[in-house]
Amino acid sequence: MDLIILGAAGETMATAFGTSLVLLVSFLVLLGALSYFVWNPVKKIMDDREKVIHDDIQNAENSKKDAARLRDENEALLKQTQSEISEMFENSRKQANAEQELIIKEANARASHLITEAKADIEREKERAMREINDQVADLSVLIAEKVIQKELTATDQQELVKKYLQEAGDR
Amino acid sequence: MDHGTPTFQTNLFGIPIVFDLATCFMIVVTSLIVFFVLFFMTRRLAIKPTGKAQVLVEWLMDFVRGIITSNMAWRDGGRFHFLALTMIVFIFAANLIGIPFTFVAPDAEHTLWWKSPTADPTVTLTLAALMIVMTHYYGVKARGFKEYAKAYAKPLPFLVPIKILEEFTYNLTLGLRLYGNIFAGEILLTLLLGLVTSGSVIAAVGGFIPMMVWQGFKTFIGALQAFIFVMLSMVYLSHKVSEDH
């Protein structure tokens, strides 16, 4: 048995350096050609895809962040708006209440004023009426007295009356 | 069953240079097939793949990347990606090319013209030598000659002769493992083919199914050996290139 196994393969196979040369050349050419025409383009595509996916993920993350930010902003805005609205309601209600009270107070004041005025008027009128009535009653009683006196005081009556007064004056 | 081998010999400065013409022919054929198959598989590339071809090539690239990253950091091993890819497809195609049919010239020597190039030890040992020499080149390049030389004295200084011998055995085992597997497969395939074509009906029927089974198994062996060859090449490379081990 030969020392190196290659020696046992037969005389024709011994040290076929030509074959090695052909193999090396064709392998290196194949390596170059495949690298240029196949591996590089495929690698480029894969890298591109990786980049696209990376970008997409980045974009998605950004969008998510934006969405969260917008949501927060909107919520804050909504809350603010709600509080503003409730504040406005509160304010307007207070104002309305105040106005209402004011109006009522004014109305009350005016009403009492009117009432007192009216009462005063009434008193005044009453007094005036009473005075007038008194005056008229006095006039009337005088008138009536005149009339009664004129009608009743006949000649006999006058004689009687004179007699009476004279008797009374004699008695005394 | 002996087949003749067509050879062409020339002398360069008195050294005989022998060409195994059948093997050379098959090397060129294999290279062309590999190139054109891959070339036409990757003509319509898109970020969103439109066909299965691109997916297959991309899977292959990821697969080989996996082989490399299982041995060394991608920072160190990335530059061997294309080499390992070319190596694995070339060896795979070379292993498979002898399976579907054969061609024996009808001359007195039964010259065999169609066979797997990897069924020739010259081819496998040349490929192995290419990888092993490369490991040394990149070992020196990556870590400097001093570190490279120091690695021989690790873990123990008296192991230096064994470590040096080991480099040669790497080459032999790497090349001959591939050669042995493919050559043995081709021999058995040739024997079964001889049985089927012997003229006897019983032999033809009896030999046909084992031949089919063997062809299937040889396909598996071809793929496996291509994987093992590249895997071991990367293991040897990582020994030389990587700092940590």
Side-chain angles (χ1 to χ4, degrees), chain B residues 2 11 177 242:
Chain B
D2 273 351
N11 283 330
R177 177 184 304 108
S242 296

Side-chain angles (χ1 to χ4, degrees), chain A residues 5-6 16-20 22-24 26-27 30-31 33-35 37-43 45-46 49, chain B residues 18-20 23-24 27 31 35 39 42-43 45-47 49 54 58 61-62 82 86 90 122-123 125-126 176:
Chain A
I5 203 160
L6 284 185
F17 285 117
T19 311
S20 298
V22 170
L23 174 68
L24 282 178
S26 56
F27 183 78
L30 183 68
L31 175 61
L34 282 182
S35 296
F37 286 109
V38 177
W39 307 137
N40 257 329
V42 174
K43 187 171 156 46
I45 282 285
M46 289 168 83
R49 179 183 307 137
Chain B
V18 180
F19 291 87
D20 183 336
T23 307
C24 291
I27 289 166
S31 300
F35 176 73
F39 182 78
T42 53
R43 276 319 84 190
L45 294 174
I47 285 178
Q54 190 191 338
E58 283 182 11
M61 292 192 80
D62 277 340
F82 291 177
T86 311
F90 179 78
T122 318
V123 171
L125 285 170
T126 307
L176 292 181

Side-chain angles (χ1 to χ4, degrees), chain B residues 134-172:
Chain B
M134 217 186 65
T135 65
H136 291 279
Y137 173 74
Y138 279 105
V140 174
K141 195 180 170 191
R143 304 175 62 195
F145 185 78
K146 221 174 146 186
E147 286 292 313
Y148 164 80
K150 261 192 203 164
Y152 283 96
K154 283 175 189 169
L156 293 168
F158 69 86
L159 290 175
V160 169
I162 293 175
K163 292 276 255 187
I164 291 172
L165 191 63
E166 198 180 40
E167 298 302 322
F168 293 96
T169 58
Y170 280 164
N171 194 346
L172 278 176

Side-chain angles (χ1 to χ4, degrees), chain A residues 31 41 46 56 80 103 129 134 139 145 150-151 171:
Chain A
L31 175 61
M46 289 168 83
D56 283 357
Q80 198 193 332
I103 287 169
N134 280 349
D139 287 352
Q150 276 177 4
K151 200 180 97 181
D171 286 346

